[in-house]
Amino acid sequence: MAAHSRSPLLQLLLLSSVCLCSLVPVLGLKAASGPAEPPNPPNPPAAAVRAAEPPAKDAPAAAAAAAGAVGAVVGASQPRRATGWKLAEEEACRDDLSRLCPKHTWTNNLAVLECLQDRREEIDIAPDCNHLLWSYKLNLTTDPKFESVATEVCKSTIAEIKECNEVERGRGYLVSCLVDHRDNISEYQCNQYVTKMTSIIFSDYRLICGFMDKCKEDINSLRCGSINVGHKDIHSQGEVIACLEKALVKEAEQPDRGRPIKEECQKSILRVAELSSDDFHLDRYLYFACRDDRERFCQNTQAGEGKVYKCLFNHKFEEAMSEKCRDALTTRQKLISQDYRVSYSLAKACKADLRKQRCSLDTSLPRAREARLSYLLLCLEAAVHRGRQVSGECQGEMLDYRRMLMEDFSLSPEIVLHCRTEIEGYCSGLHRKGRTLHCLMRIGRGDRSITVDSACQSALQTLVQSADPGADYRIDRALNEACESVIQTACKHIRNGDPMILSCLMEHLYTEKMVEDCERRLLELQYFISRDWKLDPILYKKCQSDAARLCHTHGWNETSELMPPGAVFSCLYRHAYRTEEQGRRLSRDCKVEVQRILHQRALDVKLDPELQKRCMTDLGKWCSEKPEAGQDLECLQDHLEDLVSTCREVVGNLTELESEDIQIDALLVRACEPVIQAHCHDVADNQIDTGVLMECLVQNKHQKEMNDKCAVGVTHFQLIQMKDFRFSYKFKMACKEDVLRLCPNIKKKVDVVICLSTTVRNDTLQEAREQRVSLKCRKQLRVEELEMSEDIRLEPELYDPCKSDISRLCPNVAFGNAQMIECLKEQKKHLSPRCHQRIFRLQEVEMTDPELDYQLMRVCKQMIKRFCTEADTRNILQCLKQNKNSELMDPKCKQMITKRQITQNSDYRLNPVLRKACRADIPKFCQSILIKASEDSELEGQVIACLKLKYADQRLSPDCEDQIRVILQESALDYRLDPQLQMHCSDEISKLCAEEAAAQEQTGQVEECLKVNLLKIKQDGCKKEVLNMLKESKADIFVDPVLHTACALDLKHHCAAITPGRGRQMSCLMEALQDKRVRLQPECKKRLQDRIEMWSYAAKVAPAEGFSDLAVQVMTSPSKNYILLMIALSVCVLFLVGLLCGRITKRVTRELKDR
């Protein structure tokens, strides 16, 4: 029996079960502070000693007094027995006593009673002995002498307690009052007396005064047992109370089934449970059900103060725990959830805090609600979150019961009532260790495509609010076990039990350190935490004043359920990104926490209540086949135009925030960590509402540290930004006023950029006195244009018409680095009309503003720094062309320059310098070509060819002549720069000049080859082009690079004073060739003779088409002076002949008249 001996402290509490018709309510259950049993207890009062038999040597004095009272009572009720009557001497119990009880207990009636009623359940005692014990206990609890003994034992205590000293004697009120004030009992004998008598009462519910009267009908209707003596074992009547308790619990879980228990009986049941809360011996059903389990799990746990209960609760889900004990423990836990006072330790520890935090003064709630465990937890948790002082002992007890609620869903009657269908259908067999609750959470999240009843969802939310696992992850046993390995590796730097553990786990969501089971459990819990901002204690602590100031949370009761899910946090993050001009911003500490939560919740759209609510349909419609976890938001962003208006609005708002703080996209930031560390670490560390981190990532998108995931993520965000100019934070802030003024009703970013760019371009071309677009907007507009030029997908007006061409002509080309655009340019002749038109317009813009030519700027980046640092951005290509043949020029850049020259020479409109210089000459000389031309297709060099001919005829304006000379010089070195030549002579070049054309460096050898093989050329178009080249070379030796190279020294020696152009230097060389006194270089002499032959042949096959053409040929001929002299001599001869003939004819005429 030593193992079951009860602390005097705990048994005292149980005495309160001696109802004795008391009407005085128990206001609290603070533990008795009476002294522990002394080694040598003081002598009992004389009255008790006189009435009692001699106690056993080891019996306490108070027990002896109690035994004396027993003797007096029994003696009074049974006159045939002597005052020193002993149970051990009764015939009815002698055999059972000798068989079951140690001999040293026989002299003490109470010891005998305790021995017999605490026997093992399978051991029976004689019916007569049962009845004798029943009569014995009944007399104890109904005889007035029972109270008189209490008066003697607790004399000084009664005098000290005013309420007990004034109660009416003889009605049982005195003992009840002593129980209610047991906290103040310091007298040892009184304490022991009350405790000892309590154990007698609780052995049979019928001995509890008033209980039988209040619950008689319910006992019968529920078939919980008979109240008749002898119907069953009268010492196992704890089963009747257990039956009633189970019925009370079932009623809470299934209110619509069966006959409800009367309210006064309900109160009595909870009162009995409350009064037996400190010593599990007093819950007779649980005591017998868990006796073996107590020995197994809690052998060293001292009885009293509810310690055995707590120990058994902690082992409830152990494999070795018996089902009968587990059921009994569950029933008691359910009673605790209905009335916290059923837990002695919790009621004791939190009594003062409940009063201090005014947790019983909420007039909006019914009084019955105030006793609910969930209400107590919510009220005290709110106080803790608000920074109010709650004792450590109370917080420790709260932690235990919060963990208990998370472990066993059945302790929450609302869950059992409202989630029965879900539990039976999807979560059966998962009862232990919180698995059922997490199963319900998973269904509540919508992970199984099952619609959860709103009442079940609400019950789950209430349970999470009550348990508050956000404050300490260890409360959630399922999460704790699943995430233990992750916490040990990724979060080991954080103190165990710290709220930041959950935040740490969220930061490692979808990383290599995260395990699947932990990920699932974490998201299930965070789904419900995200719907009540108070469940994140750090956020609540930092933001409660901001919430009251900006979101008017003071209008909501802290424990009410009226607050819309996520409403407060939505309010907070709307204020988090306001500018100073907008006012009403969050405090710095609160903003940091709001950003932390935003960064974490963006990983899963279901963690944003507003987003999930408005986008549930669209998520199912567009994102059901999402390949990777954590990309729901990206999916919604991709389908932004297809979303319903309410969903589109919330996705747009979140995307707008993301543009300002890209770290909201945690997956992208993780993927880009190497790039950020290498190129953007300063920006990332100091980013304050500017969106510069994304700009930095875009600028470094093609660095070696950039990986595929980061590049894809950055490009995706750029594509999303195209859908609305608000999604580009810096652009929005710089150009908001300009957009409203110049581009109203335009939303898409690409359209806004085109609108503003067109405005800037028009103002520039028209040389407007003042630019309509502000300077800060023009600067940011330039950034946006440069970013768009990098990827064709960022320009929908170009990308959409060219999609089919891309798949047909450039299927394996990457989009980034403008590679796709470059591919389309190279395949320009094979493009569809719409795509060709768009590419032409793009090239026109790029040639006007070379900085927008991404490939040119990328490939020639270093050369621009070397040669063109002082050049205007619009003259960069011109600068590069001038330095193209420098020895320091990079070969790749030179090749890119050549490509752009080929493009420019295909159409004068793609050469802005030529277009400006020849704006008067082109319509004057080439109008017929312009009439036939299409607006958005190349002229294939026709206008430039036209201007070349006029250059040879020396009819161009000086500015235009200078530009055509440059083009002639360039195309003379590289046949590819002459589109007409390349178009008409492609076959001849491949047949006659294949070796020259294959040369890596073009130095005019192909043109020379065609000139040499002029007689072999059969196609008229090609022959005409070659003849035009010869004609052009007569006008300027620089146009003939082979001849110019051969005669470079002779030009220096003999023609240095001659101004280049208009054939002057060529004439100088021809005169030198005819002058026998001048010795030319052999190579020069040979080349000049070849040119004379070619010109001679050209004159034969292409005679002058008219007098003007003949005049031009003469004026441009190297033998111009000779020809003019001959013509002059001829004219003179004709004149003289005319004069002579005229005189003769006149004389003849006169002679004829004279006749």
Side-chain angles (χ1 to χ4, degrees), residues 258 327 455 585 687 734 803 874 974:
D327 290 342
R585 303 185 74 192
Q687 186 186 21
K803 280 183 178 178
R874 296 182 180 272
D974 192 339

Side-chain angles (χ1 to χ4, degrees), residues 1070-1084:
M1070 295 303 293
E1071 291 174 2
L1073 178 65
Q1074 294 172 4
D1075 192 342
K1076 297 181 178 179
R1077 295 173 299 175
V1078 178
R1079 293 176 60 85
L1080 297 176
Q1081 295 290 323
E1083 183 66 19
C1084 179

Side-chain angles (χ1 to χ4, degrees), residues 582 724-726 731-748 751-753 755-756 759 772-774 777:
Q582 291 172 319
D724 195 320
F725 81 95
R726 296 180 300 119
F731 182 55
K732 175 187 70 174
M733 298 307 294
C735 298
K736 184 164 52 178
E737 296 177 0
D738 300 270
V739 172
L740 293 174
R741 180 165 44 86
L742 301 170
C743 311
N745 304 321
I746 299 179
K747 194 171 184 181
K748 285 189 175 182
D751 296 334
V752 171
V753 170
C755 171
L756 294 176
T759 304
R772 286 175 288 172
V773 179
S774 63
C777 182

Side-chain angles (χ1 to χ4, degrees), residues 24 207 290 298 1154:
V24 183
L207 303 180
C290 298
C298 310
D1154 292 343

Side-chain angles (χ1 to χ4, degrees), residues 513-619:
K513 292 183 178 180
M514 180 59 66
V515 296
E516 184 179 355
D517 195 28
C518 177
E519 179 180 295
R520 187 170 62 252
R521 301 287 191 220
L522 182 62
L523 287 175
E524 290 162 3
L525 179 61
Q526 284 288 352
Y527 175 83
F528 290 91
I529 290 178
S530 65
R531 276 142 182 80
D532 187 347
W533 74 299
K534 299 191 300 296
L535 295 181
D536 189 308
I538 302 173
L539 173 69
Y540 184 78
K541 180 179 179 182
K542 300 289 186 182
C543 295
Q544 55 180 318
S545 59
D546 295 89
R549 176 169 54 90
L550 302 172
C551 309
H552 311 293
T553 54
H554 55 266
W556 281 313
N557 184 281
E558 292 292 346
T559 56
S560 75
E561 298 173 357
L562 303 176
M563 194 179 296
V568 177
F569 186 74
S570 296
C571 169
L572 289 173
Y573 81 65
R574 282 195 295 270
H575 287 86
Y577 292 92
R578 287 194 171 190
T579 62
E580 292 184 5
E581 292 78 11
Q582 291 172 319
R584 295 175 65 82
R585 303 185 74 192
L586 296 182
S587 63
R588 182 174 180 179
D589 288 344
C590 179
K591 182 175 180 179
V592 169
E593 292 307 314
V594 170
Q595 288 177 324
R596 172 180 67 85
I597 299 296
L598 272 177
H599 298 168
Q600 293 172 2
R601 293 184 182 176
L603 293 168
D604 192 321
V605 294
K606 293 178 182 178
L607 300 183
D608 188 328
E610 186 179 12
L611 183 64
Q612 190 198 24
K613 179 182 177 182
R614 297 192 184 186
C615 299
M616 183 69 75
T617 304
D618 289 302
L619 280 169

Side-chain angles (χ1 to χ4, degrees), residues 14 42 76 88 293 454 559 906 1058 1090 1142:
L14 307 178
D293 299 283
S454 59
T559 56
S906 67
I1058 304 300
D1090 291 341

Side-chain angles (χ1 to χ4, degrees), residues 803-819:
K803 280 183 178 178
S804 59
D805 300 272
I806 289 171
S807 58
R808 179 169 54 89
L809 302 172
C810 310
N812 300 318
V813 178
F815 283 98
N817 263 339
Q819 294 177 78

